[in-house]
Amino acid sequence: MSLYNITHFIEEALNNIRRNAFVTVITVGTIALSFLILGVFLIIFSNLKDITSSWQEQIQIVAYLKEGLSSADITSLEEKIRAEREVSSAHFISKDKALSEFKKDLANQTGLLDGLGENPLPAYFEVKIKKAYQDSGAVSSLAERFKKIKGIEDVQYGQEWVENLSSFLDLMVIAGLVVGGLVSLAVILIVSNTVKLTVYARAEDIEIMKLIGATDWFVKIPFLIEGVVIGLVGAFLSIAILFGIYQLLMQRLSLNAGILLGKFSIAFLSWPDIAILLFAGMLLGLFGSFVSVGRFLKV
């Protein structure tokens, strides 16, 4: 393909956009609105993912030990626990340390422990789970294996909380796929109908080009470029609007951020997310144009 042809295709695409300026503006605005909805969801999803990631880091199994175990028994238990592939770390808490931490938790109410006599708290292991195994099934399976180890009295890991967290993450992924699918379908239909208007407006010119030997691809390429430009501009506009709204909200919340958000801050779209949105706009615009022009040339 020569430089002249490339220049010709780009000029034709831009001319098509100028000839149908009003329709193009409406189309870009509609695409921007569609991607704005997707962008809002991505921000919510990415921030919730950060929160749940911090929650997942707190997932641990507590293995309570039987009374009367020797130091050698405890060392052997620790080796068995660490040998499991899901285990990131295992920290031993003695009976005395368990009681000391319990007293710290009671703060000014330590008087409740007066007359307690013998320390009733068991020694235990705090077991951290590797990130790859922090789902409900893996944690539950590991806990069941711990229960079968001789010397372990009981195992706790907050089963209901872990299952609810896993279900919430699965729900967010499904919601993301649904929203992304609906937005993609909407953009394809919007671009397809817009390019269709341009194609029919130039039906006679296209027929003449075909008569003098122009190939289908020679006819298609300017319209495909038009779709890419429309999709890209729509996606870019949505990101610009979204960033403006984000900045405005952050300014409004800045005075109360410490109270409302604590240590957690709302993050905007990452650069990879922005790149994905722009690429998606271009790709969907290209596909919408391809479908529209393809149908016309088959008629």
Side-chain angles (χ1 to χ4, degrees):
M1 185 181 294
S2 68
L3 180 61
Y4 170 78
N5 284 341
I6 295 174
T7 304
H8 167 74
F9 292 144
I10 295 174
E11 287 179 351
E12 280 297 304
L14 296 177
N15 287 334
N16 288 341
I17 291 173
R18 281 195 291 267
R19 291 190 194 104
N20 300 275
F22 178 75
V23 175
T24 300
V25 169
I26 298 298
T27 302
V28 168
T30 309
I31 293 174
L33 179 61
S34 300
F35 270 86
L36 186 64
I37 295 170
L38 181 59
V40 169
F41 180 84
L42 280 176
I43 288 178
I44 294 172
F45 179 78
S46 61
N47 281 277
L48 285 177
K49 187 178 179 181
D50 289 340
I51 295 175
T52 52
S53 293
S54 66
W55 289 347
Q56 282 185 309
E57 291 175 359
Q58 299 174 27
I59 293 177
Q60 64 179 17
I61 294 176
V62 177
Y64 294 101
L65 308 185
K66 292 181 179 180
E67 294 288 340
L69 294 178
S70 65
S71 297
D73 292 332
I74 293 173
T75 299
S76 176
L77 278 174
E78 185 173 359
E79 290 175 353
K80 291 178 181 179
I81 290 173
R82 290 181 181 273
E84 297 291 344
R85 68 178 185 275
E86 299 93 338
V87 174
S88 172
S89 65
H91 182 54
F92 175 68
I93 306 294
S94 66
K95 289 171 60 71
D96 292 339
K97 188 173 181 180
L99 181 61
S100 175
E101 291 182 354
F102 184 55
K103 288 180 178 179
K104 288 180 181 178
D105 292 337
L106 288 177
N108 297 327
Q109 297 179 320
T110 52
L112 296 173
L113 300 178
D114 292 344
L116 187 62
E118 186 179 349
N119 182 359
L121 300 180
Y124 60 90
F125 279 102
E126 286 183 348
V127 182
K128 300 288 186 180
I129 312 299
K130 292 178 182 177
K131 191 171 183 178
Y133 301 101
Q134 289 176 345
D135 60 278
S136 174
V139 175
S140 177
S141 175
L142 181 60
E144 289 300 318
R145 295 204 300 275
F146 281 169
K147 289 179 181 179
K148 297 176 182 179
I149 297 177
K150 185 179 179 180
I152 294 180
E153 180 73 28
D154 191 21
V155 175
Q156 293 184 4
Y157 63 95
Q159 179 178 0
E160 184 177 352
W161 181 82
V162 173
E163 289 176 352
N164 289 338
L165 179 58
S166 296
S167 299
F168 175 73
L169 291 174
D170 292 341
L171 180 63
M172 288 300 297
V173 171
I174 293 172
L177 293 174
V178 171
V179 172
L182 291 175
V183 169
S184 298
L185 180 61
V187 171
I188 290 172
L189 291 175
I190 292 165
V191 174
S192 177
N193 288 328
T194 300
V195 173
K196 187 186 296 182
L197 292 174
T198 305
V199 171
Y200 279 104
R202 298 193 60 215
E204 293 184 3
D205 294 341
I206 292 173
E207 289 297 332
I208 294 172
M209 292 170 64
K210 294 285 289 180
L211 289 173
I212 61 177
T215 63
D216 285 350
W217 277 108
F218 191 87
V219 174
K220 284 180 181 180
I221 289 177
F223 295 105
L224 298 181
I225 294 174
E226 179 184 351
V228 169
V229 171
I230 291 173
L232 176 61
V233 173
F236 178 81
L237 183 60
S238 72
I239 294 170
I241 294 172
L242 191 59
F243 184 71
I245 295 173
Y246 169 80
Q247 291 285 37
L248 182 62
L249 287 176
M250 289 300 97
Q251 289 176 6
R252 294 289 180 89
L253 291 173
S254 60
L255 294 176
N256 300 312
I259 298 174
L260 295 176
L261 305 176
K263 295 181 179 179
F264 175 72
S265 60
I266 299 175
F268 189 65
L269 296 171
S270 65
W271 285 111
D273 288 337
I274 292 174
I276 289 172
L277 282 178
L278 293 175
F279 181 74
M282 295 170 61
L283 189 62
L284 293 174
L286 175 65
F287 186 72
S289 295
F290 183 80
V291 170
S292 181
V293 179
R295 288 176 179 174
F296 177 82
L297 292 176
K298 288 178 181 179
V299 176

